[in-house]
């Protein structure tokens, strides 16, 4: 299952992600992975979650992020949740290509039985119609 936490810049999306990651890591019987751009969440995310800096792996764009997510799911069968902060900073295509990416990731999430959450800096009105069903606005 894919969830998008959306809102304009400065609306508290990252704070919500931090709370969600820490709650999920405490309750999960498997592994929780948090992907961020840079290393700003190091002290905010519990040590029970695996924190990954996308810059360390030179992830740029939706195709590379999809491959990275696929690798995480394939390499570890007990990943229950993946949370991605600053999606548009990692994927400079932003709105362009977002719908196709989310639909591909949704198939991956269903097959791997993993919940994947993305933070999107945009208003719901700016998003493609095909993905609005998975949006959660801040």
């Amino acid at each position: 299952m894919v969830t998008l936490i959306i809102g304009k810049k400065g609306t508290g999306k990252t704070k919500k992600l931090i709370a969600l990651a820490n709650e999920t890591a405490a309750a999960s019987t498997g592994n929780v992975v948090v992907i961020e751009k840079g290393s700003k969440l190091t002290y905010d995310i519990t040590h029970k979650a695996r924190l990954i800096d996308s810059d360390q792996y030179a992830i740029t764009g939706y195709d590379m992020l999809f491959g990275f997510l696929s690798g995480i799911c394939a390499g570890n069968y007990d990943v229950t949740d993946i949370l991605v902060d600053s999606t548009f900073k990692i994927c400079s295509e932003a709105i362009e290509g977002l719908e196709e990416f989310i639909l591909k990731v949704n198939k991956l999430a269903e097959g791997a039985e993993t919940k994947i959450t993305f933070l999107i800096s945009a208003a719901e009105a700016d998003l493609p119609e095909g993905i609005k069903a998975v949006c959660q606005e801040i």
Side-chain angles (χ1 to χ4, degrees):
M1 178 176 104
V2 172
T3 303
L4 303 180
I5 298 175
I6 62 169
K8 294 282 189 180
K9 185 175 180 173
T11 56
K13 295 180 304 297
T14 300
K15 286 183 182 180
K16 185 168 184 162
L17 174 107
I18 291 167
L20 181 62
N22 290 334
E23 290 167 12
T24 303
S28 178
T29 57
N31 292 316
V32 175
V33 177
V34 179
I35 300 171
E36 65 172 327
K37 175 120 174 116
S39 57
K40 63 184 183 288
L41 301 178
T42 302
Y43 300 107
D44 297 317
I45 301 293
T46 180
H47 69 280
K48 294 178 183 177
R50 170 82 160 100
L51 188 59
I52 299 173
D53 176 4
S54 65
D55 290 339
Q56 286 184 325
Y57 299 93
I59 302 168
T60 56
Y62 288 126
D63 287 339
M64 288 182 77
L65 182 56
F66 180 77
F68 193 73
L69 293 170
S70 298
I72 290 171
C73 292
N76 194 345
Y77 69 91
D78 64 348
V79 172
T80 59
D81 297 86
I82 301 173
L83 299 98
V84 181
D85 188 27
S86 304
T87 305
F88 286 170
K89 287 182 182 175
I90 297 170
C91 305
S92 60
E93 303 96 326
I95 300 290
E96 185 72 29
L98 178 64
E99 183 173 12
E100 179 184 345
F101 171 71
I102 294 299
L103 295 175
K104 279 175 40 177
V105 171
N106 197 41
K107 287 182 183 177
L108 170 68
E110 288 174 2
E113 297 179 6
T114 302
K115 292 184 210 171
I116 303 177
T117 303
F118 295 96
L119 266 63
I120 304 291
S121 292
E124 186 173 357
D126 298 335
L127 298 177
E129 286 296 322
I131 61 172
K132 288 187 179 180
V134 296
C135 295
Q136 180 180 355
E137 192 160 13
I138 294 290

